[in-house]
Amino acid sequence: MNIFKFAWKNLWHKPMSTVLNLVLFAFGVSIISALLLTQDYFSNTLKKNQAGIGMVLGAKGSPLQLILCAIYQVDTPTGNISLKDASRLKKHPLVAKAIPQSLGDSFKGHRIVGTTHEYVDLYKGELEKGKLWGEHTSLEVTIGATAAKKLNLKIGDDFHSSHGMGEGGHDHEEEHFKIVGILKPTGTVIDQLLLTSLESIWDVHKHSSKSKANYGNLSDKKEDTPDKQITTMLIKFRNPMGAITLPRMVNEQTSMQAALPSYETARLLSLVENAITALQYLAIAIIVVSGLSIFISLYNSLKERKYELAYLRSLGTPQSYIFGLLLIEGLLCSLVGFSIGIGLSHLSIFIAAHQVDTLATLNIGGTAFVTGEIYLFIGTLIVGFTASIVPAIQAAKTNISQALSE
């Protein structure tokens, strides 16, 4: 009989014991795999969405909240700032690009961002259909690929926005946005957004007294009036000196706040990585316990299978075959546990990415594999080999005459 088929049948001789080993192994592997995927997704996604932005201008408040809101679109704004004050930085010799954003409205949970075409260029966005919104035309929208698919929107469709970043806010029924273009998928945050002009955001709020208070009754004025307001401005520097001098100047000499994405992102990742490391140690301990369980299971089975193994030896079966049989049983158990664990981790993240809006905004999925999982696979083989090596050696050294006489 093929040694692998024989080992597989022996493995299920005691199904309850095998299932317990598989559950423990799969649980440990799934935790480590999920943590590796989460760490990789967060690190790569955060850096990709950062897109070379050196500084974010916004209202005073939490710098991390400002970064999460302006770049990753996963938090609420800290407030509004004067467009005139923010635009002064455009002329600074250390500033290469300054991209304004007006936030505050959404449609069915997807954010509407008032901005310029430079925001699309920042993420190397390309049109799949239609055109980009008119920068000085109100209520035209170009929609990200993922948002278009989820909301089932196409060119020519119109809708009205809701106040706030999530569903359930006050509807702005007086003004209707019209879809004029759809972007190709980029794997960045703009896939989830509805992009329009700054004027659109101001015009939508002209009928709301509450919004007039928040936006300074700006809609009735011309674009170059001094008190127009925006939510944030994304800054790209010409050289590294900008990151050294401009944030301090803004924070000390203006009423605005300057936050550095590189610093805040690194701080966020350090907090996440510390938690991930602690959970990884827990998962490793579970896998070690699983390996010990495999060892005990194989070792105890030797007593019951002593006669069977001696009989095989008496028929001329070489010691190497007996050794390999026990070794393969341990490796098969670890490999099956690994496969189940990997499948569970990827499936869990895939489901979570489609259920949790924050993960969807960051384009976190569960279809990609990471390098760390290769090392996890190697570690799995080592645990399976280590757990079965001693029972395999003892099985190969079975005393034929003594075992048959008993």
Side-chain angles (χ1 to χ4, degrees), residues 88-264:
R88 288 172 183 161
L89 278 177
K90 285 186 177 181
K91 301 177 182 179
H92 197 285
L94 292 176
V95 174
K97 188 176 292 186
I99 305 171
Q101 286 184 327
S102 281
L103 308 172
D105 285 356
S106 62
F107 176 62
K108 293 185 177 180
H110 288 262
R111 295 191 177 198
I112 299 172
V113 179
T115 186
T116 64
H117 293 171
E118 286 183 311
Y119 187 61
V120 177
D121 297 336
L122 189 68
Y123 294 104
K124 300 179 181 178
E126 297 179 357
L127 281 167
E128 184 174 287
K129 297 177 183 177
K131 64 176 184 177
L132 292 177
W133 71 97
E135 288 195 340
H136 301 291
T137 304
S138 186
L139 304 179
E140 288 187 347
V141 169
T142 302
I143 188 170
T146 304
K149 184 178 179 181
K150 286 186 176 181
L151 299 173
N152 195 27
L153 292 174
K154 58 184 183 299
I155 293 176
D157 289 348
D158 61 7
F159 63 91
H160 58 261
S161 62
S162 299
H163 188 67
M165 295 303 186
E167 297 187 61
H170 168 70
D171 289 340
H172 300 295
E173 297 180 351
E174 302 86 357
E175 305 287 349
H176 283 251
F177 287 96
K178 183 177 180 180
I179 306 294
V180 298
I182 299 174
L183 296 172
K184 293 180 179 179
T186 63
T188 65
V189 69
I190 65 169
D191 291 346
Q192 305 283 344
L193 303 178
L194 291 81
L195 305 174
T196 187
S197 64
L198 295 171
E199 284 79 2
S200 299
I201 304 298
W202 297 326
D203 288 345
V204 163
H205 291 85
K206 68 183 177 183
H207 297 292
S208 171
S209 59
K210 180 179 179 180
S211 294
K212 282 181 180 181
N214 290 337
Y215 281 80
N217 196 13
L218 307 172
S219 319
D220 298 328
K221 300 184 178 77
K222 294 181 180 179
E223 185 186 357
D224 58 354
T225 48
D227 57 348
K228 280 187 176 292
Q229 293 187 349
I230 58 174
T231 310
T232 67
M233 182 170 280
L234 309 178
I235 306 293
K236 290 189 76 172
F237 298 126
R238 293 189 185 278
N239 59 60
M241 281 299 298
I244 299 174
T245 59
L246 287 182
R248 177 176 294 181
M249 181 191 77
V250 170
N251 289 329
E252 292 180 356
Q253 300 178 18
T254 73
S255 59
M256 299 180 292
Q257 174 184 210
L260 298 176
S262 57
Y263 175 77
E264 297 301 330

Side-chain angles (χ1 to χ4, degrees), residues 237-387:
F237 298 126
R238 293 189 185 278
N239 59 60
M241 281 299 298
I244 299 174
T245 59
L246 287 182
R248 177 176 294 181
M249 181 191 77
V250 170
N251 289 329
E252 292 180 356
Q253 300 178 18
T254 73
S255 59
M256 299 180 292
Q257 174 184 210
L260 298 176
S262 57
Y263 175 77
E264 297 301 330
T265 300
R267 190 162 67 92
L268 177 62
L269 284 174
S270 67
L271 295 174
V272 172
E273 286 172 356
N274 288 338
I276 286 176
T277 301
L279 290 173
Q280 281 178 340
Y281 283 129
L282 173 62
I284 289 171
I286 293 173
I287 291 179
V288 170
V289 170
S290 174
L292 184 61
S293 177
I294 293 173
F295 167 77
I296 294 171
S297 177
L298 291 175
Y299 191 83
N300 288 337
S301 71
L302 284 179
K303 296 179 181 179
E304 300 176 8
R305 298 166 60 187
K306 199 172 184 180
Y307 177 78
E308 172 194 328
L309 296 174
Y311 181 70
L312 287 174
R313 288 290 312 281
S314 68
L315 294 177
T317 303
Q319 284 184 318
S320 58
Y321 184 91
I322 303 297
F323 176 82
L325 182 66
L326 270 291
L327 198 63
I328 289 171
E329 286 182 29
L331 290 173
L332 279 175
C333 190
S334 61
L335 286 173
V336 172
F338 173 83
S339 301
I340 295 172
I342 288 292
L344 285 173
S345 66
H346 282 261
L347 181 62
S348 299
I349 290 179
F350 181 81
I351 293 173
H354 285 75
Q355 297 296 324
V356 182
D357 291 337
T358 300
L359 296 180
T361 301
L362 291 173
N363 283 287
I364 292 176
T367 55
F369 290 84
V370 298
T371 306
E373 289 177 310
I374 297 175
Y375 297 108
L376 180 58
F377 175 71
I378 295 172
T380 296
L381 293 179
I382 292 173
V383 171
F385 178 84
T386 305

